Amino acid sequence: MPDIIQLLHREQNTHTAFVIKKWLNIWAILITAVLIFITGNLPSSVVLAAPMHGIAMHGALKYQEDFGHFSYANPNAPKGGKHVRAIIGSFNSLNPLIVKGAPALGLREYVFESLMVRALDEPFSLYGLIAKDIETAKDRSWVKFTLHETAKFSDGKPITVEDVIFSHAVLRDKGRPNHRYYYGKVKSIEKIEERKVIFNFIDNKDQEMPLIIGLMPILPKHHFSKATFDQTTLTIPIGSGPYKISSIKPGTSITYRKDPKYWGNDLNANKGRYNFDEIRFDYFRDESVLFEAFKKGLYHAREESDPARWSSWYSFPALKKGKVRKVTFPVSIPAPLSAFVFNTRRKKFANIHVRKALTLMFNFEWINKSLYHGAYVRTQSFFDRSELSSHGKAADTYERHLLEPYKKYVQPKVLAGNFNMPKSPSSGRMRQNRRKALRLFAKAGYRLNKGQLRHKKTKRPFTFEILSATKDQERLFLTYIRVLKSIGIQATLRQVDSSQFQQRKNTYDYDMLQHTWYSSLSPGNEQNFRWSSAVANKPGSYNYAGVQNPAVDAMIKAIIAAKTRQELISAVRALDRVLLSGHYVIPLFHLKNQWVAHWDNLKHPTTHTLYGHNIDSWWHASIPAPDK
């Protein structure tokens, strides 16, 4: 049916088109009648969808078409003032959509907009932004967008369907590996009216694709060159977002200034958001220096993840005087998976017995007590702290159906929900764990000989290098390294700067590193980019462990094909069980809630997102509120 519509729109100004349209309408009615008579239903790909103001991955939208604003935004928040943020690291590029370089923060959020915007108080729902409405087939084999009449780039030029088509092509061919993967699922894309564009997908098994396309960043065709798009650049880009770059100091800071002519100021989805006139990101090289800068008010808010700092470092004069506030925000999404990652592309970590042995040697109980005031919870799942976690839950009927062809890839304890991460005494004594670890190393062909763990045949010692980029990582790794010495393992720490760390991550040039993956309540195609065989050896993916497992691939397919919320939950739990059974990482720990410290020049809404705080809905306290 979409192909017929496309033909008509291309020829709509001709007499021939009028005749064709008349006869095709007659034929469409006849065909529809026959289909209903024979089957009682229309094929899902033929069902004529109605334009909607939004789309939910599963179930119904929270917000109706005439909604005033998102619940976590204050539409009466005052506008104005400056807000400064800070980060450890550096940057050398203003293109966040390619593999090369270290891009500056804020570009994707403030400069490059998508067709639609995600609501942060729903598992996965999108609402109109550049596209004012969306249509899709019942089976989601195609999706159509209508561009907003007033949407334009910061240079004043309107956003056109040609820009959408260009953005898809350049990101598919020159973008990050996840873009190439996602947008490669599009069979065709066509302009069907002046402001309408349709994407036809290769198949209808990926229920997430209409939403994936809805989140595609839209680039100005007149500004970017496809030939040079994949090269790093410090040329200030043109986008359609609420801010424009006003100044940069490469590697040091980037400043965004609110665009007074921003086309989307009055959209309901933007009410109460983007309240600051200016946002600046400052870069630091050291965590201690970063914290001292916060104490002096050089930047205004910081999310804290270290219980030691949270309990003892925040006792400086400004906090005692009430000028700095400590706030705890509830979080409803899965806990971030922070983990020590085995690079299984390396022969020494290809053996699962080795990975299980090294997991046994991580003493969470002692580390939590000695370094973090007992504030952390051990991470037991790739989707901990949510209904998506398989921890403590026996596999349901649908999970067992999905996993039946892949029984050998799932440990019985994990399937039954009885699996837990290894425990050890908080005293630091690990005799039992050491014995178990050495038995596992023996199965992998190693034995302890004169204080060194060596391979039985080659006599080579078992050694590996750990890559680190921050002082916090260094402290944790050094603690782990000391424990490994007790079973004859000589692990070394390699400290590198942030740009080198990112480069080595992109090319998988490491034995072990620490990484954190963040998840929503609606996992989907991003799981392919993290764990699938297809990207394991492609530079720039987030499959840092090098997972190549057919059971993982199959569970990811089940996730993106899920048509109901319950199917999704079961498929995610099944993936969780396979990943846990593979011991690809050593899961570390997480906090129950989110900790944020901020200066009293900032205020935030009383209603929060599923993700905790959302700085884009905060405002400057010294600016008077507008008249209602």
Side-chain angles (χ1 to χ4, degrees), residues 244-359:
K244 297 192 291 186
I245 297 173
S246 61
S247 67
I248 60 168
K249 295 180 181 178
T252 302
S253 71
I254 181 168
T255 303
Y256 299 90
R257 187 76 184 173
K258 187 73 178 287
D259 184 356
K261 297 181 180 179
Y262 172 50
W263 73 272
N265 274 323
D266 296 328
L267 295 180
N268 290 343
N270 286 336
K271 295 286 182 63
R273 302 173 64 215
Y274 309 124
N275 299 314
F276 302 110
D277 280 343
E278 184 176 290
I279 298 174
R280 189 178 80 232
F281 290 88
D282 289 339
Y283 286 77
F284 291 80
R285 301 283 181 166
D286 180 85
E287 179 61 43
S288 297
V289 177
L290 180 70
F291 188 78
E292 288 300 316
F294 177 71
K295 289 168 59 177
K296 295 177 181 179
L298 298 182
Y299 64 100
H300 304 144
R302 60 178 277 128
E303 184 176 340
E304 187 57 76
S305 59
D306 188 326
R309 284 197 295 265
W310 188 249
S311 62
S312 59
W313 286 29
Y314 290 83
S315 58
F316 48 90
L319 190 139
K320 293 179 179 179
K321 294 177 182 179
K323 293 182 178 180
V324 173
R325 299 169 184 172
K326 294 170 67 177
V327 186
T328 298
F329 292 95
V331 185
S332 302
I333 60 170
L337 174 65
S338 183
F340 291 169
V341 184
F342 299 110
N343 187 354
T344 61
R345 304 170 189 85
R346 301 285 169 92
K347 186 176 180 180
K348 64 186 69 181
F349 290 141
N351 191 303
I352 192 172
H353 297 307
V354 169
R355 303 197 297 270
K356 291 171 69 174
L358 290 173
T359 302

Side-chain angles (χ1 to χ4, degrees), residues 52-73 119-127 607-610:
M52 292 287 293
H53 66 291
I55 183 173
M57 182 63 198
H58 299 109
L61 291 165
K62 175 179 179 178
Y63 297 99
Q64 301 302 313
E65 185 172 5
D66 58 350
F67 77 101
H69 60 90
F70 289 137
S71 65
Y72 50 87
L120 301 181
D121 54 354
E122 299 178 72
F124 193 9
S125 293
L126 305 182
Y127 294 86
T607 301
H608 312 302
T609 75
L610 296 173

Side-chain angles (χ1 to χ4, degrees), residues 585-624:
V585 304
I586 303 176
L588 299 179
F589 34 74
H590 63 272
L591 298 171
K592 293 181 179 179
N593 296 300
Q594 187 183 75
W595 294 335
V596 177
H598 69 86
W599 281 78
D600 63 355
N601 65 343
L602 297 180
K603 286 189 176 181
H604 56 78
T606 55
T607 301
H608 312 302
T609 75
L610 296 173
Y611 299 78
H613 81 289
N614 175 41
I615 203 73
D616 290 333
S617 62
W618 290 30
W619 62 91
H620 205 286
S622 64
I623 307 297

Side-chain angles (χ1 to χ4, degrees), residues 9-20:
H9 284 306
R10 285 197 299 267
E11 304 293 340
Q12 63 184 349
N13 294 324
T14 68
H15 175 72
T16 303
F18 176 79
V19 176
I20 294 174

Side-chain angles (χ1 to χ4, degrees), residues 84-369:
V84 183
R85 304 185 201 178
I87 188 71
I88 293 287
S90 182
F91 71 92
N92 60 12
S93 176
L94 297 182
N95 187 346
L97 305 172
I98 59 173
V99 172
K100 292 182 180 179
L105 291 179
L107 289 159
R108 185 64 182 88
E109 296 82 358
Y110 302 128
V111 175
F112 300 113
E113 287 185 310
S114 302
L115 288 164
M116 308 191 79
V117 61
R118 186 168 189 162
L120 301 181
D121 54 354
E122 299 178 72
F124 193 9
S125 293
L126 305 182
Y127 294 86
L129 190 59
I130 291 175
K132 71 175 184 179
D133 63 45
I134 180 174
E135 301 174 61
T136 187
K138 185 179 179 181
D139 66 355
R140 297 194 172 180
S141 58
W142 54 266
V143 66
K144 185 196 304 180
F145 299 95
T146 304
L147 304 188
H148 206 287
E149 298 92 336
T150 60
K152 62 182 180 180
F153 294 109
S154 59
D155 61 358
K157 294 188 177 181
I159 300 175
T160 67
V161 169
E162 286 73 19
D163 293 309
V164 175
I165 294 173
F166 169 79
S167 300
H168 170 262
V170 74
L171 293 171
R172 179 197 61 201
D173 299 338
K174 295 291 188 75
R176 294 188 63 84
N178 55 325
H179 295 143
R180 300 183 189 198
Y181 174 79
Y182 299 155
Y183 306 145
K185 293 186 176 185
V186 175
K187 178 172 64 177
S188 64
I189 173 174
E190 292 190 52
K191 177 179 182 178
I192 54 176
E193 280 186 14
E194 188 60 30
R195 291 183 294 104
K196 287 185 181 290
V197 60
I198 188 167
F199 292 80
N200 294 296
F201 304 123
I202 291 175
D203 59 50
N204 61 355
K205 296 179 181 178
D206 190 337
Q207 297 294 291
E208 195 181 29
M209 278 309 297
L211 288 85
I212 291 292
I213 297 299
L215 290 175
M216 183 176 72
I218 304 304
L219 309 170
K221 183 179 180 180
H222 63 274
H223 175 74
F224 287 98
S225 167
K226 187 175 181 180
T228 60
F229 185 78
D230 57 355
Q231 302 301 310
T232 59
T233 179
L234 289 174
T235 300
I236 293 179
I238 292 173
S240 64
Y243 291 84
K244 297 192 291 186
I245 297 173
S246 61
S247 67
I248 60 168
K249 295 180 181 178
T252 302
S253 71
I254 181 168
T255 303
Y256 299 90
R257 187 76 184 173
K258 187 73 178 287
D259 184 356
K261 297 181 180 179
Y262 172 50
W263 73 272
N265 274 323
D266 296 328
L267 295 180
N268 290 343
N270 286 336
K271 295 286 182 63
R273 302 173 64 215
Y274 309 124
N275 299 314
F276 302 110
D277 280 343
E278 184 176 290
I279 298 174
R280 189 178 80 232
F281 290 88
D282 289 339
Y283 286 77
F284 291 80
R285 301 283 181 166
D286 180 85
E287 179 61 43
S288 297
V289 177
L290 180 70
F291 188 78
E292 288 300 316
F294 177 71
K295 289 168 59 177
K296 295 177 181 179
L298 298 182
Y299 64 100
H300 304 144
R302 60 178 277 128
E303 184 176 340
E304 187 57 76
S305 59
D306 188 326
R309 284 197 295 265
W310 188 249
S311 62
S312 59
W313 286 29
Y314 290 83
S315 58
F316 48 90
L319 190 139
K320 293 179 179 179
K321 294 177 182 179
K323 293 182 178 180
V324 173
R325 299 169 184 172
K326 294 170 67 177
V327 186
T328 298
F329 292 95
V331 185
S332 302
I333 60 170
L337 174 65
S338 183
F340 291 169
V341 184
F342 299 110
N343 187 354
T344 61
R345 304 170 189 85
R346 301 285 169 92
K347 186 176 180 180
K348 64 186 69 181
F349 290 141
N351 191 303
I352 192 172
H353 297 307
V354 169
R355 303 197 297 270
K356 291 171 69 174
L358 290 173
T359 302
L360 278 164
M361 296 306 295
F362 182 77
N363 189 343
F364 164 73
E365 286 72 22
W366 183 87
I367 288 172
N368 192 35
K369 175 185 175 182

